[in-house]
Amino acid sequence: MSLRPTLETRKATPTMEGAGVHLHRAFGFHDPSELDPFLLFDDFRNDIPQHYMRGFPWHPHRGIETITYVLNGTVDHGDSLGNHGTLGAGDVQWMTAGSGILHQEMPKGNAKGQMHGFQLWANLPGSMKMTAPRYQDVKGKEIPEIIDDDGTRVKVIVGSFWGKTGPVDGIAADPQYLDIFVPAGVKKTFKIDTYRRAFAYIFEGSAAFADASTPTGVLLEKEIAGEEVNIRDMSGNRTLVRFGTGDEITMQAGEEGVRFLLISGAPIQEPVAWHGPIVMNTQAEIMQAMKELRNGTFIKPAH
């Protein structure tokens, strides 16, 4: 077994999207090869309704898939396919934009005004960018949760883990998307397919991730696989941890425990031309999409 080194630890940065939604962006709109096949990850968490209630009015997508996971509050959505509905706490929406879709997402807080969710953008390979749009809502009760003997809890949203398979399937990036809670002080190792790019996003509590490549830090209490493995300082709320290659990560939860998303996917390794919510392989394809948006031919008829 080989431990994945921690390549980078960084805080998500505040930004605004849609009609004035205040959120934190862990990554997006910079180097698309960094976490290929993933393009963007947003944490839209707020307890001030004025900072999220205007939402994300009608806007286009093409060439990508979006995975939205709601923890608190609700998100009302509608799209150009005629779909509409509401995502509640614990629910997931997967949307394949494919050849093009127009949709809107309007968040609402819970009884205390709190709103919290995540949106991940996954790229589509060139061969699938103009596929027919598809769409799937998954209720939280359909998402399997595994509870280990030490109190670790894992919700399997996408992919397979510890003998359970998540209900969201058909995503081109074939990701593994896990919502993990590890109790205070517990050390845990999680296996990740060697050929996947991987990151963790901490959103409650704190944790330290073992890192064989860093000469400084606090040693794990026990050696892992017979080697000295160092651990970086504890990383807390709204922290992205980007991993190098290997087939497992090891972490230790802080004094309050930790809850984080562990996400990995197979890289596509194709050229990326990017214009907002439209992601293609070439600038010519971007120009074509913009032309179609102007002349009303962006949405393709169903075959």
Side-chain angles (χ1 to χ4, degrees), residues 155-207:
K155 292 184 179 181
V156 185
I157 297 170
V158 187
S160 296
F161 189 74
W162 286 355
K164 299 288 186 179
T165 298
V168 181
D169 60 11
I171 300 178
D174 189 26
Q176 186 181 63
Y177 190 133
L178 309 174
D179 176 351
I180 299 174
F181 169 77
V182 180
V186 170
K187 287 193 296 291
K188 205 74 178 171
T189 295
F190 300 97
K191 296 190 184 305
I192 303 174
D193 187 285
T194 307
Y195 300 101
R196 293 168 174 264
R197 299 266 169 82
F199 69 92
Y201 182 76
I202 299 170
F203 62 94
E204 287 179 13
S206 63

Side-chain angles (χ1 to χ4, degrees), residues 8-76:
E8 182 183 19
T9 302
R10 68 175 183 242
K11 286 284 191 180
T13 56
T15 188
M16 284 175 53
E17 280 294 347
V21 177
H22 295 241
L23 51 81
H24 283 72
R25 179 158 293 152
F27 62 89
F29 298 109
H30 54 286
D31 180 3
S33 67
E34 183 179 82
L35 281 164
D36 178 18
F38 306 116
L39 298 163
L40 176 145
F41 182 84
D42 282 345
D43 177 349
F44 51 97
R45 178 186 344 181
N46 216 299
D47 55 8
I48 303 173
Q50 292 80 2
H51 287 178
Y52 61 76
M53 61 190 304
R54 295 187 192 92
F56 307 90
W58 292 98
H59 57 280
H61 283 287
R62 175 177 284 181
I64 64 171
E65 300 187 272
T66 64
I67 303 97
T68 305
Y69 179 29
V70 177
L71 293 184
N72 270 318
T74 61
V75 177
D76 293 334

Side-chain angles (χ1 to χ4, degrees), residues 73-254:
T74 61
V75 177
D76 293 334
H77 60 87
D79 63 36
S80 54
L81 301 177
N83 296 302
H84 57 85
T86 299
L87 294 174
D91 295 350
V92 175
Q93 180 198 89
W94 156 53
M95 183 187 73
T96 302
S99 60
I101 199 167
L102 296 171
H103 77 152
Q104 65 173 351
E105 298 156 304
M106 307 303 286
K108 295 179 182 177
N110 60 17
K112 297 179 180 180
Q114 298 165 324
M115 176 68 222
H116 191 191
F118 307 105
Q119 188 166 92
L120 175 68
W121 290 11
N123 201 4
L124 280 169
S127 61
M128 295 184 65
K129 284 191 177 295
M130 295 302 288
T131 192
R134 292 180 296 154
Y135 173 103
Q136 181 180 359
D137 273 355
V138 175
K139 295 298 181 184
K141 63 184 179 182
E142 299 174 34
I143 296 171
E145 183 175 35
I146 308 161
I147 302 176
D148 208 1
D149 293 342
D150 58 12
T152 297
R153 298 197 306 267
V154 180
K155 292 184 179 181
V156 185
I157 297 170
V158 187
S160 296
F161 189 74
W162 286 355
K164 299 288 186 179
T165 298
V168 181
D169 60 11
I171 300 178
D174 189 26
Q176 186 181 63
Y177 190 133
L178 309 174
D179 176 351
I180 299 174
F181 169 77
V182 180
V186 170
K187 287 193 296 291
K188 205 74 178 171
T189 295
F190 300 97
K191 296 190 184 305
I192 303 174
D193 187 285
T194 307
Y195 300 101
R196 293 168 174 264
R197 299 266 169 82
F199 69 92
Y201 182 76
I202 299 170
F203 62 94
E204 287 179 13
S206 63
F209 288 85
D211 187 355
S213 67
T214 305
T216 60
V218 183
L219 284 174
L220 281 169
E221 292 175 13
K222 294 181 179 178
E223 293 181 350
I224 300 168
E227 301 175 2
E228 277 198 348
V229 179
N230 292 310
I231 223 168
R232 292 194 171 194
D233 294 336
M234 289 282 174
S235 298
N237 184 25
R238 293 194 178 107
T239 299
L240 173 76
V241 182
R242 189 163 61 90
F243 301 109
T245 56
D247 51 24
E248 62 184 28
I249 64 165
T250 294
M251 49 74 62
Q252 180 170 326

